[in-house]
mmCIF file of all heavy atoms in Angstrom:
data_model
loop_
_atom_site.group_PDB
_atom_site.id
_atom_site.type_symbol
_atom_site.label_atom_id
_atom_site.label_comp_id
_atom_site.label_asym_id
_atom_site.label_seq_id
_atom_site.Cartn_x
_atom_site.Cartn_y
_atom_site.Cartn_z
ATOM 1 N N ARG A 42 -7.888 29.335 8.174
ATOM 2 C CA ARG A 42 -8.135 29.546 6.756
ATOM 3 C C ARG A 42 -8.066 28.234 6.000
ATOM 4 O O ARG A 42 -7.695 27.210 6.539
ATOM 5 C CB ARG A 42 -7.115 30.541 6.202
ATOM 6 C CG ARG A 42 -7.206 31.902 6.853
ATOM 7 C CD ARG A 42 -6.121 32.823 6.374
ATOM 8 N NE ARG A 42 -6.228 33.109 4.953
ATOM 9 C CZ ARG A 42 -5.389 33.915 4.312
ATOM 10 N NH1 ARG A 42 -4.393 34.482 4.949
ATOM 11 N NH2 ARG A 42 -5.529 34.135 3.029
ATOM 12 N N GLY A 43 -8.412 28.288 4.754
ATOM 13 C CA GLY A 43 -8.421 27.089 3.931
ATOM 14 C C GLY A 43 -7.040 26.711 3.447
ATOM 15 O O GLY A 43 -6.026 27.196 3.932
ATOM 16 N N LEU A 44 -7.025 25.830 2.475
ATOM 17 C CA LEU A 44 -5.769 25.312 1.929
ATOM 18 C C LEU A 44 -5.331 26.154 0.731
ATOM 19 O O LEU A 44 -6.125 26.469 -0.141
ATOM 20 C CB LEU A 44 -5.952 23.882 1.474
ATOM 21 C CG LEU A 44 -6.164 22.868 2.571
ATOM 22 C CD1 LEU A 44 -6.660 21.569 1.991
ATOM 23 C CD2 LEU A 44 -4.891 22.644 3.346
ATOM 24 N N GLN A 45 -4.060 26.455 0.726
ATOM 25 C CA GLN A 45 -3.483 27.197 -0.383
ATOM 26 C C GLN A 45 -2.435 26.318 -1.051
ATOM 27 O O GLN A 45 -1.473 25.890 -0.410
ATOM 28 C CB GLN A 45 -2.839 28.490 0.137
ATOM 29 C CG GLN A 45 -2.188 29.323 -0.931
ATOM 30 C CD GLN A 45 -1.468 30.531 -0.351
ATOM 31 O OE1 GLN A 45 -0.849 30.450 0.711
ATOM 32 N NE2 GLN A 45 -1.560 31.658 -1.036
ATOM 33 N N LEU A 46 -2.620 26.031 -2.333
ATOM 34 C CA LEU A 46 -1.628 25.248 -3.065
ATOM 35 C C LEU A 46 -0.401 26.107 -3.327
ATOM 36 O O LEU A 46 -0.507 27.200 -3.870
ATOM 37 C CB LEU A 46 -2.201 24.749 -4.383
ATOM 38 C CG LEU A 46 -1.240 23.944 -5.256
ATOM 39 C CD1 LEU A 46 -0.849 22.645 -4.572
ATOM 40 C CD2 LEU A 46 -1.865 23.663 -6.619
ATOM 41 N N LEU A 47 0.759 25.616 -2.908
ATOM 42 C CA LEU A 47 2.008 26.348 -3.091
ATOM 43 C C LEU A 47 2.752 25.854 -4.336
ATOM 44 O O LEU A 47 3.159 26.647 -5.172
ATOM 45 C CB LEU A 47 2.904 26.172 -1.862
ATOM 46 C CG LEU A 47 2.325 26.628 -0.532
ATOM 47 C CD1 LEU A 47 3.298 26.288 0.596
ATOM 48 C CD2 LEU A 47 2.016 28.112 -0.559
ATOM 49 N N PHE A 48 2.966 24.552 -4.411
ATOM 50 C CA PHE A 48 3.724 23.969 -5.515
ATOM 51 C C PHE A 48 3.130 22.615 -5.875
ATOM 52 O O PHE A 48 2.568 21.930 -5.033
ATOM 53 C CB PHE A 48 5.199 23.742 -5.121
ATOM 54 C CG PHE A 48 5.928 24.980 -4.708
ATOM 55 C CD1 PHE A 48 6.031 25.326 -3.381
ATOM 56 C CD2 PHE A 48 6.512 25.792 -5.666
ATOM 57 C CE1 PHE A 48 6.700 26.476 -2.982
ATOM 58 C CE2 PHE A 48 7.191 26.940 -5.291
ATOM 59 C CZ PHE A 48 7.280 27.283 -3.949
ATOM 60 N N TYR A 49 3.296 22.241 -7.125
ATOM 61 C CA TYR A 49 3.009 20.869 -7.506
ATOM 62 C C TYR A 49 4.032 20.411 -8.530
ATOM 63 O O TYR A 49 4.659 21.226 -9.217
ATOM 64 C CB TYR A 49 1.580 20.688 -8.009
ATOM 65 C CG TYR A 49 1.241 21.373 -9.298
ATOM 66 C CD1 TYR A 49 1.423 20.739 -10.524
ATOM 67 C CD2 TYR A 49 0.694 22.655 -9.292
ATOM 68 C CE1 TYR A 49 1.095 21.364 -11.708
ATOM 69 C CE2 TYR A 49 0.360 23.285 -10.468
ATOM 70 C CZ TYR A 49 0.555 22.630 -11.671
ATOM 71 O OH TYR A 49 0.233 23.267 -12.841
ATOM 72 N N SER A 50 4.175 19.094 -8.600
ATOM 73 C CA SER A 50 5.193 18.512 -9.474
ATOM 74 C C SER A 50 4.633 17.263 -10.123
ATOM 75 O O SER A 50 4.062 16.407 -9.456
ATOM 76 C CB SER A 50 6.435 18.159 -8.656
ATOM 77 O OG SER A 50 7.354 17.414 -9.431
ATOM 78 N N VAL A 51 4.832 17.172 -11.428
ATOM 79 C CA VAL A 51 4.365 15.992 -12.155
ATOM 80 C C VAL A 51 5.512 15.038 -12.476
ATOM 81 O O VAL A 51 5.283 13.965 -13.041
ATOM 82 C CB VAL A 51 3.617 16.375 -13.447
ATOM 83 C CG1 VAL A 51 2.390 17.210 -13.111
ATOM 84 C CG2 VAL A 51 4.530 17.133 -14.390
ATOM 85 N N GLY A 52 6.734 15.426 -12.128
ATOM 86 C CA GLY A 52 7.870 14.543 -12.381
ATOM 87 C C GLY A 52 9.141 15.125 -11.798
ATOM 88 O O GLY A 52 9.172 16.276 -11.336
ATOM 89 N N ILE A 53 10.207 14.328 -11.821
ATOM 90 C CA ILE A 53 11.496 14.760 -11.277
ATOM 91 C C ILE A 53 11.928 16.062 -11.932
ATOM 92 O O ILE A 53 11.928 16.187 -13.160
ATOM 93 C CB ILE A 53 12.569 13.673 -11.498
ATOM 94 C CG1 ILE A 53 12.214 12.409 -10.715
ATOM 95 C CG2 ILE A 53 13.942 14.187 -11.048
ATOM 96 C CD1 ILE A 53 13.142 11.249 -10.998
ATOM 97 N N GLY A 54 12.285 17.025 -11.090
ATOM 98 C CA GLY A 54 12.784 18.300 -11.591
ATOM 99 C C GLY A 54 11.732 19.213 -12.169
ATOM 100 O O GLY A 54 12.046 20.322 -12.618
ATOM 101 N N GLN A 55 10.485 18.788 -12.179
ATOM 102 C CA GLN A 55 9.394 19.599 -12.739
ATOM 103 C C GLN A 55 8.573 20.181 -11.608
ATOM 104 O O GLN A 55 7.868 19.459 -10.913
ATOM 105 C CB GLN A 55 8.507 18.758 -13.661
ATOM 106 C CG GLN A 55 9.232 18.113 -14.814
ATOM 107 C CD GLN A 55 8.304 17.262 -15.644
ATOM 108 O OE1 GLN A 55 7.332 17.753 -16.213
ATOM 109 N NE2 GLN A 55 8.584 15.972 -15.725
ATOM 110 N N ILE A 56 8.673 21.499 -11.439
ATOM 111 C CA ILE A 56 7.995 22.178 -10.347
ATOM 112 C C ILE A 56 7.158 23.311 -10.928
ATOM 113 O O ILE A 56 7.654 24.106 -11.725
ATOM 114 C CB ILE A 56 8.991 22.775 -9.339
ATOM 115 C CG1 ILE A 56 10.000 21.724 -8.883
ATOM 116 C CG2 ILE A 56 8.229 23.392 -8.160
ATOM 117 C CD1 ILE A 56 9.414 20.587 -8.099
ATOM 118 N N SER A 57 5.906 23.389 -10.508
ATOM 119 C CA SER A 57 5.049 24.506 -10.876
ATOM 120 C C SER A 57 4.667 25.252 -9.614
ATOM 121 O O SER A 57 4.305 24.642 -8.605
ATOM 122 C CB SER A 57 3.786 24.026 -11.587
ATOM 123 O OG SER A 57 4.107 23.403 -12.800
ATOM 124 N N SER A 58 4.780 26.564 -9.669
ATOM 125 C CA SER A 58 4.467 27.395 -8.521
ATOM 126 C C SER A 58 3.117 28.055 -8.726
ATOM 127 O O SER A 58 2.879 28.647 -9.785
ATOM 128 C CB SER A 58 5.541 28.462 -8.331
ATOM 129 O OG SER A 58 5.180 29.350 -7.297
ATOM 130 N N GLU A 59 2.272 27.938 -7.734
ATOM 131 C CA GLU A 59 0.947 28.536 -7.835
ATOM 132 C C GLU A 59 0.927 29.957 -7.294
ATOM 133 O O GLU A 59 0.136 30.781 -7.737
ATOM 134 C CB GLU A 59 -0.076 27.696 -7.060
ATOM 135 C CG GLU A 59 -0.354 26.354 -7.694
ATOM 136 C CD GLU A 59 -1.188 26.489 -8.962
ATOM 137 O OE1 GLU A 59 -2.304 27.026 -8.889
ATOM 138 O OE2 GLU A 59 -0.716 26.058 -10.033
ATOM 139 N N VAL A 60 1.750 30.241 -6.320
ATOM 140 C CA VAL A 60 1.710 31.541 -5.651
ATOM 141 C C VAL A 60 3.131 32.053 -5.458
ATOM 142 O O VAL A 60 3.932 31.393 -4.813
ATOM 143 C CB VAL A 60 1.016 31.444 -4.281
ATOM 144 C CG1 VAL A 60 0.988 32.797 -3.609
ATOM 145 C CG2 VAL A 60 -0.383 30.862 -4.412
ATOM 146 N N PRO A 61 3.468 33.221 -5.986
ATOM 147 C CA PRO A 61 4.810 33.775 -5.761
ATOM 148 C C PRO A 61 5.038 34.044 -4.277
ATOM 149 O O PRO A 61 4.172 34.565 -3.603
ATOM 150 C CB PRO A 61 4.791 35.098 -6.538
ATOM 151 C CG PRO A 61 3.644 35.022 -7.466
ATOM 152 C CD PRO A 61 2.646 34.103 -6.835
ATOM 153 N N GLN A 62 6.173 33.654 -3.762
ATOM 154 C CA GLN A 62 6.393 33.811 -2.324
ATOM 155 C C GLN A 62 7.853 33.584 -1.979
ATOM 156 O O GLN A 62 8.694 33.445 -2.850
ATOM 157 C CB GLN A 62 5.548 32.795 -1.573
ATOM 158 C CG GLN A 62 5.888 31.377 -1.944
ATOM 159 C CD GLN A 62 4.640 30.528 -2.024
ATOM 160 O OE1 GLN A 62 3.785 30.605 -1.172
ATOM 161 N NE2 GLN A 62 4.545 29.744 -3.070
ATOM 162 N N ASN A 63 8.058 33.474 -0.707
ATOM 163 C CA ASN A 63 9.380 33.325 -0.157
ATOM 164 C C ASN A 63 9.846 31.881 -0.131
ATOM 165 O O ASN A 63 10.866 31.571 0.483
ATOM 166 C CB ASN A 63 9.333 33.899 1.279
ATOM 167 C CG ASN A 63 10.669 33.922 1.938
ATOM 168 O OD1 ASN A 63 11.673 34.252 1.325
ATOM 169 N ND2 ASN A 63 10.719 33.551 3.209
ATOM 170 N N LEU A 64 9.138 30.990 -0.765
ATOM 171 C CA LEU A 64 9.428 29.571 -0.679
ATOM 172 C C LEU A 64 9.792 29.008 -2.047
ATOM 173 O O LEU A 64 9.437 29.582 -3.079
ATOM 174 C CB LEU A 64 8.202 28.832 -0.130
ATOM 175 C CG LEU A 64 7.695 29.282 1.233
ATOM 176 C CD1 LEU A 64 6.336 28.664 1.521
ATOM 177 C CD2 LEU A 64 8.690 28.905 2.317
ATOM 178 N N SER A 65 10.451 27.863 -2.032
ATOM 179 C CA SER A 65 10.753 27.142 -3.264
ATOM 180 C C SER A 65 10.578 25.656 -3.006
ATOM 181 O O SER A 65 10.510 25.220 -1.850
ATOM 182 C CB SER A 65 12.177 27.442 -3.736
ATOM 183 O OG SER A 65 13.120 27.008 -2.759
ATOM 184 N N ALA A 66 10.469 24.893 -4.072
ATOM 185 C CA ALA A 66 10.312 23.449 -3.933
ATOM 186 C C ALA A 66 11.242 22.755 -4.907
ATOM 187 O O ALA A 66 11.604 23.319 -5.951
ATOM 188 C CB ALA A 66 8.872 23.043 -4.190
#
Side-chain angles (χ1 to χ4, degrees):
Chain A
R42 298 175 64 179
L44 291 166
Q45 179 185 38
L46 179 65
L47 301 176
F48 301 95
Y49 66 89
S50 171
V51 299
I53 296 174
Q55 302 178 61
I56 308 295
S57 296
S58 174
E59 291 287 301
V60 180
Q62 60 219 316
N63 185 41
L64 302 169
S65 62

